[in-house]
Every structure is written in C-alpha cells, then in structure tokens.
Amino acid sequence: QVQLVESGGGLVQAGGSLRVSCAASGRTFSNYAMGWFRQAPGKEREFVAAISWSGSSTYYTDSVKGRFTISRANAKNTVYLQMNSLKPEDTAVYYCAASYGSGYYYTPQAGSEYRYWGQGTQVTVSS
C-alpha cells in the first residue's frame, strides 16, 4: 500500500501562484512514477502532469505547459506541483497518484495507469 496526502491548496487570484504538495508513505516511493490530476465540478478527472520515478522525465497537458512544474524530492517522499500564472479554469480538486509500474522515463498520462490516489486538495482561482 501507498498512502498519498495532498496539501497546499487554497484560494488565489488569477495570475497568482500556488504550490501543492503530495506526501507519500508505505512502499518504496522512489520506485513509482507520480502524477497530478484535477477534477472540476461537473467534469471528468483530467491529467495535469507526471514525473518519472527517476525525476529525469516530465510530461504536461497542453493547457498547463509553461505555467506548471512538477517535481519530486524522493528523500522527503514528496511530489510537488508549482502552479504559476493561474487561471480561473485551473479551479479544481487536485489529486496526486502513484503509478502501477515505472521506467526511467515513464510518465503515464492515463488514470488507469495509476494505482494509488490521494484524497485531493482544492485549488480555487478567482477572477
């Protein structure tokens, strides 16, 4: 089992920044690719960003490229999502997830490729 707990969500004005964190415990954290997903009210969960277990590869959905940065600190068992230039459409519950399997550059984008999920943290961007 891997337990994931998100934190750092909150209310921010459009154009502002926020960093959400995901603390992991349980099985060896460094062996998992990690991802961030988000879900807005009335919408399906969507992929946001992923980082390989090595930290050597990242992948972002087009809508956040250049604005969001995913990173990990394996020694702290923590994954981060730095969100800059936030837009109202970024408003959602943000979830972190750990993948089923991994490779050095593995950055899965499908929810089905993730095995463990956190409870989410709310990010609200006001206009």
Side-chain angles (χ1 to χ4, degrees):
Q1 286 286 315
V2 172
Q3 292 78 46
L4 305 173
V5 180
E6 302 94 337
S7 63
L11 176 65
V12 63
Q13 291 185 324
S17 298
L18 201 64
R19 186 179 75 167
V20 290
S21 301
C22 175
S25 62
R27 294 185 177 181
T28 307
F29 173 74
S30 60
N31 289 340
Y32 294 87
M34 300 294 296
W36 284 97
F37 291 75
R38 65 187 181 187
Q39 187 169 25
K43 295 185 178 180
E44 294 185 352
R45 183 178 59 197
E46 67 171 339
F47 169 79
V48 177
I51 186 167
S52 63
W53 70 263
S54 65
S56 297
S57 182
T58 59
Y59 192 89
Y60 302 90
T61 191
D62 287 343
S63 64
V64 308
K65 287 181 179 177
R67 300 189 298 120
F68 290 11
T69 302
I70 187 171
S71 62
R72 67 191 300 162
N74 288 349
K76 299 179 180 179
N77 289 344
T78 304
V79 178
Y80 305 97
L81 184 68
Q82 177 68 46
M83 301 179 287
N84 298 326
S85 301
L86 282 162
K87 305 174 181 180
E89 50 262 45
D90 294 318
T91 295
V93 176
Y94 282 71
Y95 300 90
C96 67
S99 71
Y100 282 95
S102 62
Y104 198 79
Y105 299 107
Y106 180 57
T107 53
Q109 297 107 60
S112 60
E113 297 179 279
Y114 291 84
R115 186 170 188 174
Y116 305 103
W117 296 81
Q119 295 299 305
T121 185
Q122 177 71 48
V123 172
T124 302
V125 184
S126 64
S127 59

